[in-house]
Amino acid sequence: MSSDDELSTSASSSSDVASLHSEEEGEGSINSIVQPYQDEPLADLPADEDTQEEDDEDDEDGIRFATLEARFNNKESVRDWCLCGGKCKFEHLADAREYRCCREIGAASRIMTFDGSIESISCITQHTDYAAMSNREVLKHVAPMIRDKNGKTYRRRGNRSENDLLRAVGYRWLVRFMCGYLGWDNSRPLSACIYHDMRTRYPATRLHGYATAEERS
């Protein structure tokens, strides 16, 4: 083979290699182009994602906040979530967190189970201890013994009615009856059946509804 043939063969081989590399690079470029959304900016998170996460959380009784909101907005009938024989009513409820049955509150169910009263009653408002603790005269005598976070006793102030005082004392008294002492900075809602009973017996001219310790401070 002549030197010219060798040069021609070498040039041809170099050309083939260069062509192959060029094709591979071209394929690589094509492959990189078809990668989905490769150079697109990341999507922003929805503005209401925090709200969605909150709705998915459970409260102190293991009930989702979204469920309580659905009950409050009448998207879920009281007949579907009242488990205590129809004692839960919504006429006197003012906050979504009040839309729960006493049978959904573990502490209330434990009281009825522990003393066996669950065999004869269906609602905590039928319990003999509840009847005694929510009695008007009992609440009036308990009020001076209960103090708020600032050390003040529970008594009528300003234009508050006696019923307003009795409900305030009753709520705190009944929470302690079911759950024990929670501390100054802790609070929890009662059940719809309790709110209905207390607000029927001690009606309010203006209803505020449940508020957490943080909301009251």
Side-chain angles (χ1 to χ4, degrees), residues 1-207:
M1 180 181 294
S2 67
S3 59
D4 291 340
D5 291 338
E6 291 177 354
L7 290 173
S8 176
T9 302
S10 175
S12 176
S13 298
S14 299
S15 176
D16 291 342
V17 171
S19 176
L20 179 60
H21 284 317
S22 177
E23 290 177 2
E24 289 177 349
E25 290 174 359
E27 289 177 359
S29 298
I30 292 173
N31 288 337
S32 66
I33 290 173
V34 298
Q35 294 299 320
Y37 313 117
Q38 179 177 350
D39 297 319
E40 293 294 324
L42 295 177
D44 293 331
L45 293 176
D48 60 346
E49 182 168 306
D50 291 340
T51 303
Q52 182 64 41
E53 290 181 358
E54 181 178 337
D55 289 344
D56 290 340
E57 293 178 358
D58 295 344
D59 74 350
E60 52 270 271
D61 293 318
I63 307 173
R64 292 196 170 188
F65 292 110
T67 298
L68 296 173
E69 287 289 342
R71 296 174 180 180
F72 178 71
N73 294 318
N74 203 28
K75 294 180 180 179
E76 185 177 342
S77 172
V78 65
R79 294 189 300 271
D80 296 330
W81 54 267
C82 178
L83 308 172
C84 63
K87 298 295 183 181
C88 296
K89 308 291 183 182
F90 60 83
E91 287 83 1
H92 298 303
L93 303 183
D95 186 272
R97 289 164 292 188
E98 298 175 350
Y99 281 69
R100 71 191 67 222
C101 180
C102 66
R103 301 297 286 270
E104 294 180 299
I105 299 178
S109 293
R110 283 192 292 273
I111 288 174
M112 294 187 287
T113 301
F114 180 77
D115 63 13
S117 60
I118 199 169
E119 299 294 333
S120 57
I121 64 175
S122 59
C123 180
I124 193 66
T125 61
Q126 298 170 320
H127 198 281
T128 53
D129 288 347
Y130 173 89
M133 297 183 75
S134 61
N135 177 273
R136 176 179 290 271
E137 293 304 315
V138 170
L139 294 176
K140 288 168 65 174
H141 283 83
V142 167
M145 296 185 289
I146 297 180
R147 296 181 180 273
D148 63 17
K149 189 174 182 178
N150 298 317
K152 296 180 179 180
T153 59
Y154 275 52
R155 60 186 179 85
R156 291 176 61 181
R157 292 184 174 87
N159 59 354
R160 293 183 63 186
S161 68
E162 182 177 80
N163 283 342
D164 291 338
L165 172 65
L166 296 180
R167 285 196 315 278
V169 173
Y171 296 155
R172 184 169 173 186
W173 195 226
L174 292 169
V175 166
R176 180 172 290 196
F177 161 57
M178 293 190 298
C179 306
Y181 178 68
L182 298 180
W184 292 119
D185 297 322
N186 297 308
S187 65
R188 60 144 303 126
L190 293 167
S191 60
C193 42
I194 291 178
Y195 286 124
H196 176 74
D197 178 68
M198 293 292 290
R199 291 168 183 172
T200 299
R201 292 161 61 191
Y202 311 116
T205 54
R206 183 180 179 184
L207 193 60

